[in-house]
Structure formats: C-alpha cells, structure tokens
Amino acid sequence: MTHLIEPPRADDAVSLGPLQLKVWLQTYPCADAGIDETWIREHRGSAATTEGIAQWREFIEAAGRQPDLLFCRVVRSGTEIVGFLCGRRDEVVTLGPMYLLDEAQGRGIGGRLMGEFLTWAGSAPMRLWVTDYNERAIRFYQRYGFEATGERELWRGKLPNIRMVRDTPSNAAPAEPV
C-alpha cells in the first residue's frame, strides 16, 4: 500500500482526534507507570470529542495560514489517515505530536515524515518530549540527532517524559529511512 504524506485538509480534523486516541491506546499502556486504558481515555479521550476535533480544525487552518510558524502533515493509506506529525516555530522549533498507527510503522514512513519536518525546520534548534519508556521512539529521534537533556516531566502527574533536543543539523546524523 502506498502512503501519501501531505498537509491536512480542514475536514481531516474529524480523523485526527480519534487517531490520536487510538495511537495512545496502542503506545502508552504501562503497568509500571500506572497507565492503563482507563487513564488514557480519561486524559486523551477529549481528542476524539467535538471540542477536540474543533481544536484540530483550528490548528490545521492556522497551519495553512502560517506555514512558516506551524507544521502539520498527515499520512494517508488509501482514504484512511494512519499518522501525522505537527510542530511549531517559536524561539526554537518544537516537534510534536508525531504518531503512526502500529500497522504503519517499520515501513520508512516515520523517516519520510521526519525528513519533511527537518526540511521545514531548517537550521533552527529543535526540542520535543518523549515518553521515557517508549524506547522505539527514543531510538528513532536519536537517529536524527536528538539527544536527551536530563529534563523530565510527569504529564498529568503520571506519564513520565524526557526532553530531547537537536541543536544544529551539523551534529545530527543524516536523515535515513526507518
């Protein structure tokens, strides 16, 4: 199946919130951290509500108006959206969120998404948060020159995240398919 990466349309908002919740349910359950389906639905379920979908629509429309400040790409497999990557430019570039459904991983799609994001970001310093037990994502970001800073946060008092940064492209590995 061919995967198309492109900027989202406003009507894609109805897919992005539910997709975000589905990816969280696939990715983040962890008994050691006390993260289960109930906790995820309580803290991320709003992404799939009317309000969450409206927020996605606002972001998509803003990214269309300000493509130098806001980045968003979706991954389509046929008519279904199977992933996305968003970011914003302030004093530094912030990457996130970035998600792919399990069935879309391991096919080089994440590398293609990252390539588009890095081209958009240019030479600006970059940062992101990643869940500390999501080792696959940490290794992925490390391949693109991101390094852990030691800064930590507990999102909503429970989900353990670490900060990763990429200072300049000169110290980063070349983009390669994942």
Side-chain angles (χ1 to χ4, degrees):
M1 170 78 49
T2 300
H3 293 91
L4 177 65
I5 298 173
E6 63 184 8
R9 300 181 294 266
D11 61 348
D12 289 332
V14 298
S15 299
L16 292 179
L19 173 64
Q20 187 173 18
L21 177 59
K22 183 175 180 179
V23 172
W24 270 65
L25 290 167
Q26 289 179 346
T27 306
Y28 295 117
C30 176
D32 290 344
I35 308 290
D36 60 11
E37 180 178 345
T38 301
W39 189 89
I40 291 168
R41 288 187 182 281
E42 178 182 332
H43 293 280
R44 289 306 310 164
S46 64
T49 65
T50 302
E51 181 182 325
I53 291 167
Q55 289 172 348
W56 270 111
R57 182 178 301 276
E58 288 173 22
F59 182 81
I60 291 167
E61 290 171 349
R65 289 189 309 271
Q66 299 176 306
D68 54 326
L69 298 178
L70 300 172
F71 178 91
C72 192
R73 296 293 182 273
V74 295
V75 180
R76 295 183 198 281
S77 177
T79 59
E80 181 185 7
I81 296 176
V82 297
F84 60 89
L85 189 158
C86 299
R88 65 181 61 242
R89 185 184 314 272
D90 293 311
E91 67 279 357
V92 298
V93 170
T94 301
L95 185 157
M98 179 181 183
Y99 295 116
L100 286 172
L101 290 174
D102 285 349
E103 63 263 23
Q105 294 182 19
R107 301 169 185 240
I109 300 164
R112 289 173 46 208
L113 270 172
M114 182 62 83
E116 289 200 21
F117 180 78
L118 293 176
T119 297
W120 173 81
S123 61
M126 293 171 236
R127 66 182 178 195
L128 60 87
W129 287 106
V130 61
T131 300
D132 74 356
Y133 58 82
N134 191 346
E135 294 172 10
R136 184 176 184 171
I138 292 168
R139 286 190 309 271
F140 174 83
Y141 294 129
Q142 286 172 333
R143 282 195 295 272
Y144 291 94
F146 287 88
E147 298 175 354
T149 65
E151 186 180 355
R152 304 179 73 76
E153 72 161 13
L154 284 176
W155 187 78
R156 303 280 168 102
K158 194 172 259 193
L159 188 71
N161 291 322
I162 60 172
R163 169 73 77 192
M164 296 185 80
V165 298
R166 182 178 192 257
D167 291 327
T168 63
S170 62
N171 69 354
E176 54 188 62
V178 175

